[in-house]
Coordinates of all heavy atoms in Angstrom, one line a residue:
M1 N -3.2 6.0 16.6 CA -2.7 5.9 15.2 C -3.1 4.6 14.6 O -3.5 3.6 15.3 CB -1.1 5.9 15.3 CG -0.6 7.2 15.7 SD 1.2 7.4 15.4 CE 1.8 6.1 16.5
I2 N -3.1 4.6 13.3 CA -3.5 3.4 12.5 C -2.3 3.0 11.6 O -1.7 3.8 10.9 CB -4.7 3.7 11.6 CG1 -6.0 4.0 12.4 CG2 -5.0 2.6 10.6 CD1 -6.6 2.8 13.1
L3 N -2.0 1.7 11.6 CA -1.1 1.1 10.6 C -1.9 0.4 9.6 O -2.5 -0.6 9.9 CB -0.1 0.2 11.4 CG 1.0 -0.4 10.5 CD1 1.9 0.7 9.9 CD2 1.8 -1.4 11.3
H4 N -1.8 0.9 8.4 CA -2.6 0.4 7.2 C -1.6 -0.4 6.4 O -0.7 0.1 5.7 CB -3.1 1.6 6.4 CG -3.8 1.3 5.2 ND1 -5.1 0.7 5.1 CD2 -3.5 1.6 3.9 CE1 -5.5 0.6 3.9 NE2 -4.5 1.2 3.1
C5 N -1.8 -1.8 6.4 CA -0.9 -2.7 5.8 C -1.5 -3.2 4.5 O -2.7 -3.7 4.6 CB -0.5 -3.8 6.7 SG 0.2 -3.3 8.3
V6 N -0.8 -3.2 3.4 CA -1.4 -3.7 2.1 C -0.3 -4.7 1.6 O 0.8 -4.3 1.3 CB -1.6 -2.5 1.2 CG1 -2.2 -3.1 -0.1 CG2 -2.6 -1.5 1.8
F7 N -0.8 -5.9 1.3 CA 0.1 -6.9 0.8 C -0.4 -7.2 -0.6 O -1.6 -7.3 -0.9 CB 0.0 -8.2 1.7 CG 0.3 -7.8 3.1 CD1 -0.7 -7.8 4.1 CD2 1.6 -7.4 3.5 CE1 -0.4 -7.5 5.4 CE2 1.9 -7.1 4.8 CZ 0.9 -7.1 5.8
L8 N 0.6 -7.4 -1.5 CA 0.3 -7.5 -2.9 C 0.8 -8.7 -3.6 O 1.9 -9.2 -3.3 CB 0.9 -6.3 -3.6 CG 0.5 -4.9 -3.1 CD1 1.5 -3.8 -3.7 CD2 -0.9 -4.6 -3.4
R9 N 0.1 -9.2 -4.6 CA 0.5 -10.2 -5.5 C 0.6 -9.5 -6.8 O -0.3 -9.5 -7.6 CB -0.5 -11.4 -5.7 CG -0.3 -12.4 -4.6 CD -1.2 -13.6 -5.0 NE -1.9 -14.0 -3.8 CZ -3.1 -14.4 -3.7 NH1 -3.9 -14.5 -4.8 NH2 -3.7 -14.8 -2.6
L10 N 1.8 -8.9 -7.1 CA 1.9 -8.1 -8.3 C 2.1 -9.0 -9.5 O 2.6 -10.2 -9.3 CB 3.1 -7.2 -8.2 CG 3.0 -6.1 -7.1 CD1 4.3 -5.3 -7.0 CD2 1.9 -5.1 -7.5
K11 N 1.7 -8.6 -10.6 CA 1.8 -9.4 -11.9 C 3.3 -9.7 -12.1 O 4.2 -8.9 -11.9 CB 1.3 -8.6 -13.1 CG -0.2 -8.4 -13.0 CD -0.7 -7.6 -14.2 CE -2.2 -7.4 -14.1 NZ -2.7 -6.5 -15.2
A12 N 3.6 -11.0 -12.5 CA 4.9 -11.4 -12.7 C 5.6 -10.6 -13.8 O 6.8 -10.5 -13.8 CB 4.9 -12.9 -13.1
A13 N 4.9 -10.1 -14.7 CA 5.4 -9.3 -15.9 C 5.9 -8.0 -15.5 O 6.6 -7.3 -16.3 CB 4.4 -9.2 -17.0
M14 N 5.6 -7.5 -14.3 CA 6.1 -6.2 -13.8 C 7.6 -6.1 -13.7 O 8.2 -7.0 -13.1 CB 5.5 -5.8 -12.5 CG 4.0 -5.3 -12.6 SD 3.5 -4.5 -11.0 CE 4.2 -2.9 -11.2
T15 N 8.2 -5.1 -14.3 CA 9.6 -4.9 -14.2 C 10.0 -4.3 -12.9 O 9.1 -3.7 -12.2 CB 10.1 -4.0 -15.4 OG1 9.6 -2.7 -15.1 CG2 9.7 -4.5 -16.7
P16 N 11.2 -4.4 -12.4 CA 11.6 -3.7 -11.2 C 11.3 -2.2 -11.3 O 10.9 -1.6 -10.3 CB 13.1 -4.0 -11.1 CG 13.3 -5.3 -11.8 CD 12.3 -5.3 -13.0
E17 N 11.5 -1.6 -12.5 CA 11.3 -0.2 -12.6 C 9.8 0.1 -12.5 O 9.4 1.2 -11.9 CB 11.8 0.3 -14.0 CG 13.2 0.2 -14.2 CD 13.8 -1.2 -14.5 OE1 13.0 -2.1 -14.9 OE2 15.0 -1.4 -14.4
E18 N 8.9 -0.7 -13.0 CA 7.5 -0.5 -12.8 C 7.1 -0.6 -11.4 O 6.2 0.2 -10.9 CB 6.7 -1.5 -13.7 CG 6.8 -1.2 -15.2 CD 6.2 -2.3 -16.0 OE1 6.3 -3.5 -15.6 OE2 5.7 -2.0 -17.1
K19 N 7.6 -1.6 -10.7 CA 7.4 -1.8 -9.2 C 7.8 -0.5 -8.5 O 7.1 0.0 -7.6 CB 8.1 -3.0 -8.6 CG 7.4 -4.3 -8.9 CD 8.1 -5.4 -8.1 CE 7.6 -6.7 -8.5 NZ 8.3 -7.8 -7.7
Q20 N 9.0 -0.1 -8.7 CA 9.5 1.1 -8.1 C 8.7 2.3 -8.3 O 8.4 3.1 -7.4 CB 11.0 1.4 -8.5 CG 11.6 2.5 -7.8 CD 11.8 2.3 -6.3 OE1 11.9 1.1 -5.9 NE2 12.0 3.3 -5.5
S21 N 8.2 2.5 -9.6 CA 7.3 3.6 -9.9 C 6.0 3.5 -9.1 O 5.5 4.6 -8.6 CB 7.1 3.6 -11.4 OG 6.1 4.6 -11.8
L22 N 5.5 2.3 -9.0 CA 4.2 2.2 -8.3 C 4.4 2.5 -6.8 O 3.6 3.3 -6.2 CB 3.7 0.7 -8.4 CG 2.5 0.4 -7.7 CD1 1.3 1.1 -8.2 CD2 2.2 -1.1 -7.8
F23 N 5.5 2.0 -6.2 CA 5.7 2.3 -4.8 C 6.0 3.8 -4.6 O 5.6 4.4 -3.6 CB 6.8 1.4 -4.2 CG 6.3 0.0 -4.0 CD1 6.9 -1.0 -4.6 CD2 5.2 -0.3 -3.2 CE1 6.5 -2.3 -4.4 CE2 4.7 -1.6 -3.0 CZ 5.4 -2.6 -3.7
Q24 N 6.7 4.4 -5.5 CA 7.0 5.9 -5.4 C 5.7 6.7 -5.5 O 5.5 7.7 -4.8 CB 8.0 6.3 -6.5 CG 9.4 5.9 -6.2 CD 9.9 6.3 -4.9 OE1 9.6 7.4 -4.4 NE2 10.8 5.5 -4.3
A25 N 4.7 6.2 -6.3 CA 3.4 6.9 -6.3 C 2.7 6.8 -5.0 O 2.0 7.7 -4.5 CB 2.6 6.3 -7.4
I26 N 2.9 5.7 -4.3 CA 2.3 5.5 -3.0 C 2.9 6.4 -2.0 O 2.3 7.1 -1.2 CB 2.3 4.0 -2.5 CG1 1.5 3.1 -3.5 CG2 1.9 3.8 -1.1 CD1 1.8 1.7 -3.4
V27 N 4.2 6.4 -2.0 CA 5.0 7.3 -1.1 C 4.6 8.8 -1.3 O 4.5 9.6 -0.3 CB 6.5 7.1 -1.2 CG1 7.3 8.2 -0.5 CG2 6.9 5.7 -0.8
A28 N 4.4 9.2 -2.5 CA 4.1 10.6 -2.9 C 2.8 11.0 -2.3 O 2.5 12.2 -2.1 CB 4.1 10.7 -4.4
L29 N 1.9 10.1 -1.9 CA 0.6 10.4 -1.3 C 0.9 11.2 0.0 O 0.0 12.0 0.5 CB -0.2 9.2 -1.1 CG -0.7 8.5 -2.3 CD1 -1.5 7.2 -2.0 CD2 -1.6 9.4 -3.1
K30 N 2.0 10.9 0.7 CA 2.3 11.6 2.0 C 2.3 13.1 1.8 O 2.0 13.8 2.7 CB 3.6 11.0 2.5 CG 4.0 11.6 3.9 CD 5.2 11.0 4.4 CE 5.6 11.7 5.8 NZ 6.9 11.4 6.2
E31 N 2.7 13.5 0.6 CA 2.9 15.0 0.4 C 1.6 15.7 0.1 O 1.5 16.9 0.1 CB 3.9 15.2 -0.8 CG 5.2 14.6 -0.6 CD 5.9 15.1 0.7 OE1 5.8 16.3 1.0 OE2 6.5 14.2 1.4
V32 N 0.5 14.9 -0.3 CA -0.8 15.5 -0.7 C -1.9 15.2 0.2 O -3.0 15.8 0.1 CB -1.1 15.2 -2.2 CG1 -0.1 15.8 -3.1 CG2 -1.2 13.7 -2.4
I33 N -1.8 14.2 1.0 CA -2.9 13.8 1.9 C -2.5 14.0 3.4 O -1.6 13.4 3.9 CB -3.3 12.3 1.6 CG1 -3.7 12.1 0.2 CG2 -4.5 11.9 2.6 CD1 -4.0 10.7 -0.2
P34 N -3.3 14.9 4.0 CA -3.0 15.2 5.4 C -3.1 13.9 6.3 O -4.0 13.1 6.0 CB -4.0 16.2 5.8 CG -4.5 16.8 4.5 CD -4.4 15.7 3.5
G35 N -2.3 13.8 7.4 CA -2.5 12.8 8.4 C -1.6 11.6 8.1 O -1.6 10.7 9.0
I36 N -0.9 11.5 7.0 CA 0.0 10.4 6.8 C 1.3 10.7 7.4 O 1.9 11.7 7.2 CB 0.2 10.1 5.3 CG1 -1.1 9.7 4.6 CG2 1.3 9.1 5.1 CD1 -0.9 9.5 3.1
L37 N 1.7 9.9 8.4 CA 2.9 10.1 9.1 C 4.2 9.4 8.5 O 5.3 9.9 8.5 CB 2.8 9.6 10.6 CG 1.7 10.2 11.4 CD1 1.6 9.6 12.7 CD2 1.9 11.7 11.5
D38 N 3.9 8.2 7.9 CA 5.0 7.5 7.3 C 4.5 6.5 6.3 O 3.4 6.0 6.4 CB 5.8 6.7 8.5 CG 7.1 6.1 8.0 OD1 7.8 6.7 7.2 OD2 7.5 5.1 8.6
V39 N 5.4 6.2 5.3 CA 5.1 5.1 4.4 C 6.3 4.3 4.2 O 7.4 4.8 4.0 CB 4.7 5.7 3.0 CG1 4.4 4.6 2.0 CG2 3.5 6.7 3.1
K40 N 6.2 3.0 4.3 CA 7.3 2.0 4.1 C 6.8 1.0 3.0 O 5.6 0.7 3.0 CB 7.6 1.3 5.4 CG 8.1 2.1 6.5 CD 9.5 2.6 6.4 CE 10.0 3.2 7.7 NZ 10.7 4.4 7.5
Y41 N 7.7 0.5 2.2 CA 7.3 -0.5 1.2 C 8.5 -1.5 1.0 O 9.7 -1.1 1.3 CB 6.9 0.1 -0.1 CG 8.0 0.9 -0.8 CD1 8.8 0.2 -1.7 CD2 8.2 2.2 -0.5 CE1 9.8 0.9 -2.4 CE2 9.2 2.9 -1.1 CZ 10.0 2.3 -2.1 OH 11.0 2.9 -2.7
G42 N 8.2 -2.6 0.4 CA 9.3 -3.5 0.0 C 8.8 -4.9 -0.2 O 7.6 -5.2 0.0
P43 N 9.7 -5.8 -0.5 CA 9.3 -7.2 -0.6 C 9.3 -7.9 0.8 O 9.9 -7.5 1.7 CB 10.5 -7.8 -1.4 CG 11.7 -6.9 -1.0 CD 11.1 -5.6 -0.8
N44 N 8.5 -9.0 0.8 CA 8.5 -9.8 2.0 C 9.9 -10.4 2.3 O 10.5 -11.0 1.3 CB 7.4 -10.9 1.8 CG 7.4 -11.9 3.0 OD1 7.5 -11.5 4.1 ND2 7.2 -13.2 2.7
V45 N 10.3 -10.3 3.5 CA 11.6 -10.9 3.8 C 11.5 -12.0 4.9 O 12.5 -12.4 5.5 CB 12.6 -9.8 4.2 CG1 12.9 -8.9 3.1 CG2 12.2 -9.0 5.4
S46 N 10.3 -12.4 5.2 CA 10.1 -13.5 6.2 C 10.6 -14.8 5.7 O 10.3 -15.2 4.6 CB 8.6 -13.6 6.6 OG 8.4 -14.7 7.4
P47 N 11.4 -15.5 6.5 CA 11.9 -16.8 6.2 C 10.8 -18.0 6.3 O 11.1 -19.1 6.0 CB 13.1 -17.0 7.1 CG 12.7 -16.3 8.3 CD 11.9 -15.1 7.8
E48 N 9.6 -17.6 6.9 CA 8.7 -18.7 7.2 C 8.0 -19.3 6.0 O 7.4 -20.4 6.1 CB 7.6 -18.1 8.2 CG 8.2 -17.7 9.5 CD 7.2 -17.1 10.4 OE1 6.7 -15.9 10.2 OE2 6.7 -17.8 11.4
G49 N 7.9 -18.6 4.9 CA 7.2 -19.1 3.7 C 5.7 -19.1 3.8 O 5.1 -19.9 3.2
L50 N 5.2 -18.3 4.6 CA 3.7 -18.2 4.9 C 3.1 -17.0 4.2 O 2.0 -16.6 4.6 CB 3.4 -18.2 6.4 CG 4.0 -19.4 7.1 CD1 3.8 -19.2 8.6 CD2 3.3 -20.7 6.7
H51 N 3.7 -16.5 3.2 CA 3.2 -15.3 2.5 C 2.0 -15.5 1.6 O 1.3 -14.5 1.2 CB 4.3 -14.6 1.7 CG 5.0 -15.5 0.7 ND1 4.4 -15.9 -0.4 CD2 6.2 -16.1 0.8 CE1 5.2 -16.7 -1.1 NE2 6.3 -16.8 -0.4
G52 N 1.6 -16.7 1.3 CA 0.5 -17.0 0.5 C 0.5 -16.3 -0.9 O -0.5 -16.0 -1.5
G53 N 1.7 -16.0 -1.4 CA 1.8 -15.4 -2.7 C 1.9 -13.9 -2.6 O 2.1 -13.2 -3.6
F54 N 1.6 -13.3 -1.5 CA 1.7 -11.9 -1.3 C 3.2 -11.5 -1.0 O 3.6 -11.5 0.2 CB 0.8 -11.4 -0.2 CG -0.7 -11.6 -0.5 CD1 -1.3 -12.8 -0.1 CD2 -1.4 -10.7 -1.2 CE1 -2.7 -13.0 -0.4 CE2 -2.7 -10.8 -1.5 CZ -3.4 -12.0 -1.1
V55 N 3.9 -11.2 -2.0 CA 5.4 -11.1 -1.8 C 5.9 -9.6 -1.8 O 7.1 -9.4 -1.6 CB 6.2 -11.9 -2.8 CG1 5.9 -13.4 -2.6 CG2 5.9 -11.5 -4.2
D56 N 5.0 -8.7 -2.0 CA 5.3 -7.3 -1.9 C 4.3 -6.6 -1.1 O 3.2 -7.1 -0.9 CB 5.3 -6.6 -3.3 CG 6.5 -7.1 -4.2 OD1 7.6 -6.7 -4.0 OD2 6.2 -7.9 -5.1
G57 N 4.7 -5.5 -0.5 CA 3.7 -4.7 0.3 C 4.1 -3.4 0.7 O 5.3 -3.0 0.5
F58 N 3.2 -2.7 1.4 CA 3.5 -1.4 1.9 C 2.7 -1.2 3.2 O 1.7 -1.8 3.4 CB 3.3 -0.3 0.9 CG 1.9 -0.1 0.4 CD1 1.1 0.9 1.0 CD2 1.5 -0.8 -0.7 CE1 -0.2 1.1 0.5 CE2 0.2 -0.6 -1.2 CZ -0.7 0.3 -0.6
A59 N 3.2 -0.2 4.0 CA 2.5 0.1 5.2 C 2.4 1.6 5.4 O 3.5 2.3 5.2 CB 3.1 -0.5 6.4
V60 N 1.3 2.2 5.6 CA 1.1 3.6 5.8 C 0.7 3.8 7.3 O -0.3 3.2 7.7 CB 0.0 4.1 4.9 CG1 -0.2 5.6 5.0 CG2 0.3 3.8 3.4
T61 N 1.4 4.7 8.0 CA 1.0 5.1 9.3 C 0.2 6.4 9.3 O 0.7 7.4 8.7 CB 2.3 5.2 10.2 OG1 3.1 4.0 10.1 CG2 1.9 5.5 11.7
F62 N -1.0 6.3 9.9 CA -1.8 7.5 9.9 C -1.9 8.0 11.4 O -1.9 7.2 12.3 CB -3.3 7.1 9.5 CG -3.4 6.8 8.0 CD1 -3.3 5.5 7.6 CD2 -3.5 7.8 7.1 CE1 -3.4 5.2 6.3 CE2 -3.6 7.5 5.7 CZ -3.5 6.2 5.3
E63 N -2.1 9.3 11.5 CA -2.1 9.9 12.8 C -3.4 9.5 13.6 O -3.5 9.6 14.8 CB -2.0 11.4 12.8 CG -3.0 12.1 12.0 CD -2.8 13.6 11.9 OE1 -1.6 14.0 12.1 OE2 -3.7 14.4 11.6
S64 N -4.5 9.1 12.8 CA -5.8 8.8 13.4 C -6.6 8.0 12.5 O -6.4 7.9 11.3 CB -6.5 10.2 13.8 OG -6.8 10.9 12.6
V65 N -7.7 7.5 13.1 CA -8.7 6.8 12.2 C -9.3 7.8 11.2 O -9.5 7.4 10.1 CB -9.8 6.2 13.1 CG1 -11.0 5.7 12.3 CG2 -9.3 5.1 14.0
D66 N -9.6 9.0 11.7 CA -10.2 10.0 10.7 C -9.2 10.3 9.6 O -9.7 10.5 8.4 CB -10.5 11.3 11.5 CG -11.6 11.2 12.5 OD1 -12.4 10.3 12.3 OD2 -11.7 12.0 13.4
A67 N -7.9 10.4 9.8 CA -7.0 10.6 8.7 C -7.0 9.4 7.8 O -7.0 9.6 6.5 CB -5.6 10.8 9.3
R68 N -7.0 8.2 8.3 CA -7.1 7.0 7.4 C -8.4 7.1 6.6 O -8.4 6.8 5.4 CB -7.1 5.7 8.2 CG -7.0 4.4 7.5 CD -8.3 3.7 7.2 NE -9.3 3.8 8.2 CZ -9.5 3.0 9.2 NH1 -8.8 1.9 9.3 NH2 -10.5 3.2 10.1
D69 N -9.5 7.4 7.2 CA -10.8 7.4 6.5 C -10.8 8.5 5.4 O -11.4 8.3 4.3 CB -11.9 7.6 7.5 CG -12.1 6.4 8.4 OD1 -11.5 5.4 8.2 OD2 -12.9 6.6 9.4
A70 N -10.2 9.7 5.7 CA -10.1 10.7 4.7 C -9.2 10.3 3.5 O -9.5 10.6 2.3 CB -9.6 12.0 5.3
Y71 N -8.2 9.5 3.8 CA -7.2 9.0 2.8 C -8.0 8.0 1.8 O -7.8 8.1 0.6 CB -6.1 8.3 3.5 CG -5.4 7.2 2.8 CD1 -4.2 7.5 2.0 CD2 -5.7 5.9 2.9 CE1 -3.5 6.5 1.4 CE2 -5.0 4.9 2.3 CZ -3.9 5.2 1.5 OH -3.2 4.2 0.9
L72 N -8.9 7.2 2.4 CA -9.5 6.2 1.6 C -10.4 6.8 0.5 O -10.5 6.2 -0.6 CB -10.4 5.3 2.5 CG -9.7 4.4 3.5 CD1 -10.7 3.7 4.4 CD2 -8.8 3.4 2.8
I73 N -10.9 8.0 0.7 CA -11.8 8.6 -0.3 C -11.1 9.8 -1.1 O -11.7 10.3 -2.0 CB -13.1 9.1 0.3 CG1 -12.9 10.1 1.4 CG2 -13.9 7.9 0.8 CD1 -14.1 10.8 1.9
H74 N -9.9 10.1 -0.7 CA -9.1 11.2 -1.3 C -8.9 10.8 -2.8 O -8.5 9.7 -3.1 CB -7.8 11.4 -0.6 CG -7.1 12.6 -1.0 ND1 -6.5 12.8 -2.2 CD2 -7.0 13.8 -0.4 CE1 -6.0 14.0 -2.3 NE2 -6.3 14.7 -1.2
P75 N -9.2 11.7 -3.7 CA -9.0 11.5 -5.2 C -7.6 11.0 -5.6 O -7.5 10.1 -6.4 CB -9.3 12.8 -5.8 CG -10.1 13.6 -4.8 CD -9.7 13.1 -3.5
E76 N -6.6 11.5 -4.9 CA -5.2 11.0 -5.3 C -5.0 9.5 -4.8 O -4.4 8.8 -5.6 CB -4.2 11.9 -4.6 CG -4.1 13.3 -5.1 CD -3.6 13.4 -6.5 OE1 -2.7 12.6 -6.9 OE2 -4.0 14.3 -7.2
H77 N -5.6 9.2 -3.7 CA -5.5 7.8 -3.3 C -6.3 6.9 -4.2 O -5.9 5.8 -4.5 CB -6.0 7.6 -1.8 CG -6.2 6.1 -1.5 ND1 -7.4 5.6 -1.4 CD2 -5.3 5.1 -1.2 CE1 -7.3 4.3 -1.1 NE2 -6.1 4.0 -1.0
V78 N -7.5 7.3 -4.6 CA -8.4 6.5 -5.5 C -7.6 6.3 -6.8 O -7.6 5.1 -7.3 CB -9.7 7.3 -5.7 CG1 -10.5 6.6 -6.8 CG2 -10.5 7.3 -4.4
A79 N -6.9 7.3 -7.3 CA -6.2 7.1 -8.6 C -5.0 6.1 -8.4 O -4.9 5.2 -9.2 CB -5.7 8.4 -9.1
V80 N -4.3 6.2 -7.3 CA -3.2 5.3 -7.0 C -3.7 3.9 -6.8 O -3.2 2.9 -7.2 CB -2.3 5.8 -5.9 CG1 -1.2 4.7 -5.5 CG2 -1.6 7.1 -6.3
G81 N -4.9 3.8 -6.0 CA -5.5 2.6 -5.8 C -5.9 1.8 -7.0 O -5.7 0.6 -7.1
E82 N -6.4 2.6 -8.0 CA -6.8 1.9 -9.3 C -5.5 1.4 -10.0 O -5.6 0.3 -10.5 CB -7.5 2.9 -10.1 CG -8.9 3.2 -9.6 CD -9.6 4.4 -10.4 OE1 -9.0 5.0 -11.3 OE2 -10.8 4.7 -10.1
R83 N -4.5 2.1 -9.9 CA -3.2 1.7 -10.4 C -2.7 0.4 -9.8 O -2.2 -0.5 -10.4 CB -2.2 2.8 -10.3 CG -0.9 2.5 -11.0 CD 0.0 3.7 -11.0 NE 1.4 3.3 -11.4 CZ 2.4 4.1 -11.2 NH1 2.3 5.3 -10.7 NH2 3.6 3.7 -11.6
I84 N -2.8 0.4 -8.4 CA -2.4 -0.8 -7.7 C -3.2 -2.0 -8.1 O -2.7 -3.1 -8.4 CB -2.6 -0.6 -6.2 CG1 -1.5 0.5 -5.7 CG2 -2.4 -1.9 -5.4 CD1 -1.8 1.0 -4.3
V85 N -4.5 -1.9 -8.1 CA -5.4 -3.0 -8.5 C -5.1 -3.5 -9.9 O -5.0 -4.7 -10.1 CB -6.9 -2.6 -8.4 CG1 -7.8 -3.7 -8.9 CG2 -7.2 -2.4 -6.9
S86 N -4.8 -2.6 -10.8 CA -4.5 -3.0 -12.2 C -3.1 -3.7 -12.3 O -2.9 -4.4 -13.3 CB -4.6 -1.9 -13.2 OG -3.6 -0.9 -13.0
S87 N -2.3 -3.5 -11.3 CA -1.0 -4.1 -11.3 C -0.9 -5.4 -10.6 O 0.1 -6.1 -10.6 CB 0.0 -3.1 -10.6 OG 0.1 -1.9 -11.2
T88 N -2.0 -5.8 -10.0 CA -2.0 -7.1 -9.2 C -2.5 -8.3 -10.1 O -3.3 -8.1 -11.0 CB -2.8 -7.0 -7.9 OG1 -4.2 -6.8 -8.3 CG2 -2.3 -6.0 -7.0
D89 N -2.1 -9.4 -9.7 CA -2.5 -10.7 -10.3 C -3.9 -11.0 -9.8 O -4.1 -11.3 -8.6 CB -1.6 -11.8 -10.0 CG -1.9 -13.1 -10.8 OD1 -2.6 -13.0 -11.7 OD2 -1.4 -14.1 -10.3
G90 N -4.9 -10.8 -10.6 CA -6.3 -11.1 -10.1 C -7.1 -9.8 -9.6 O -8.1 -10.0 -9.0
G91 N -6.6 -8.6 -9.9 CA -7.3 -7.4 -9.4 C -7.4 -7.4 -7.9 O -6.4 -7.6 -7.2
L92 N -8.6 -7.2 -7.4 CA -8.8 -7.1 -6.0 C -8.4 -8.3 -5.2 O -7.9 -8.3 -4.1 CB -10.2 -6.7 -5.6 CG -10.7 -5.3 -5.9 CD1 -12.2 -5.2 -5.6 CD2 -9.9 -4.3 -5.1
A93 N -8.5 -9.5 -5.9 CA -8.0 -10.8 -5.3 C -6.5 -10.8 -5.1 O -6.0 -11.6 -4.3 CB -8.5 -11.9 -6.1
G94 N -5.8 -9.9 -5.7 CA -4.3 -9.8 -5.6 C -3.8 -8.9 -4.5 O -2.7 -8.6 -4.5
L95 N -4.7 -8.5 -3.7 CA -4.3 -7.7 -2.5 C -5.0 -8.0 -1.3 O -6.1 -8.5 -1.3 CB -4.4 -6.2 -2.9 CG -5.7 -5.5 -3.2 CD1 -6.3 -4.8 -2.0 CD2 -5.5 -4.6 -4.3
L96 N -4.3 -7.7 -0.2 CA -4.9 -8.0 1.2 C -4.6 -6.7 2.0 O -3.5 -6.2 2.0 CB -4.2 -9.2 1.8 CG -4.5 -9.5 3.3 CD1 -5.9 -10.0 3.4 CD2 -3.5 -10.5 3.8
V97 N -5.7 -6.2 2.6 CA -5.5 -5.0 3.4 C -5.8 -5.3 4.9 O -6.8 -6.0 5.2 CB -6.5 -3.9 3.0 CG1 -6.4 -2.6 3.8 CG2 -6.2 -3.5 1.5
F98 N -4.9 -4.9 5.8 CA -5.1 -5.2 7.2 C -4.7 -3.9 8.0 O -3.6 -3.5 7.8 CB -4.2 -6.4 7.6 CG -4.5 -7.0 8.9 CD1 -5.3 -8.1 9.0 CD2 -3.9 -6.5 10.1 CE1 -5.5 -8.7 10.2 CE2 -4.2 -7.1 11.3 CZ -5.0 -8.2 11.3
D99 N -5.6 -3.4 8.8 CA -5.3 -2.2 9.5 C -5.3 -2.5 11.0 O -6.0 -3.3 11.5 CB -6.4 -1.1 9.3 CG -6.4 -0.5 8.0 OD1 -5.5 -0.8 7.2 OD2 -7.3 0.3 7.7
L100 N -4.3 -1.9 11.7 CA -4.1 -2.1 13.1 C -4.1 -0.8 13.9 O -3.6 0.2 13.4 CB -2.7 -2.7 13.4 CG -2.4 -4.1 12.8 CD1 -0.9 -4.3 12.8 CD2 -3.1 -5.2 13.5
N101 N -4.7 -0.8 15.0 CA -4.5 0.4 16.0 C -3.2 0.2 16.6 O -2.8 -0.8 17.1 CB -5.6 0.3 17.1 CG -6.9 0.8 16.6 OD1 -7.0 1.9 16.0 ND2 -8.0 0.1 16.9
I102 N -2.4 1.3 16.6 CA -1.1 1.2 17.2 C -0.9 2.4 18.2 O -1.6 3.4 18.1 CB 0.1 1.2 16.2 CG1 0.0 2.4 15.2 CG2 0.1 -0.1 15.4 CD1 1.2 2.6 14.3

């Protein structure tokens, strides 16, 4: 399995409703892209203060590397990905992606 972690520096002007809508769009991918086992999202709750400005994020659990790779090029993911990038402070510089084998 793959744990696909995405950490975000969302624009300060985003309202809580806009954030919720964005995360719901990510969660909805589970219904249209095969191989997604779980999606979790939320704000950073670590007390360490080492977030580097990435204070929101989500994690997608995939059943396999192949499922993750299919997700990356799936049109629905591409559309949500564009929405994510346009919602971050600095575009691509406003996100960090880290995948783990689990």
Side-chain angles (χ1 to χ4, degrees):
M1 290 191 298
I2 296 289
L3 183 62
H4 176 69
C5 305
V6 181
F7 307 108
L8 306 166
R9 277 191 225 139
L10 294 173
K11 292 178 180 175
M14 281 191 81
T15 67
E17 294 80 17
E18 289 169 329
K19 281 186 186 182
Q20 184 66 20
S21 174
L22 179 63
F23 287 122
Q24 288 301 327
I26 296 164
V27 169
L29 294 174
K30 183 178 179 195
E31 303 304 317
V32 295
I33 302 177
I36 296 176
L37 301 176
D38 192 30
V39 180
K40 302 280 192 226
Y41 65 91
N44 176 38
V45 295
S46 173
E48 295 179 286
L50 300 174
H51 54 73
F54 295 93
V55 296
D56 292 285
F58 63 94
V60 181
T61 305
F62 292 97
E63 64 185 18
S64 66
V65 169
D66 289 341
R68 187 267 324 266
D69 293 350
Y71 157 89
L72 293 176
I73 59 171
H74 192 285
E76 294 290 329
H77 168 258
V78 171
V80 172
E82 290 172 356
R83 184 174 169 193
I84 292 167
V85 171
S86 70
S87 298
T88 61
D89 187 18
L92 288 176
L95 61 102
L96 174 69
V97 177
F98 195 96
D99 290 357
L100 299 166
N101 280 311
I102 55 172

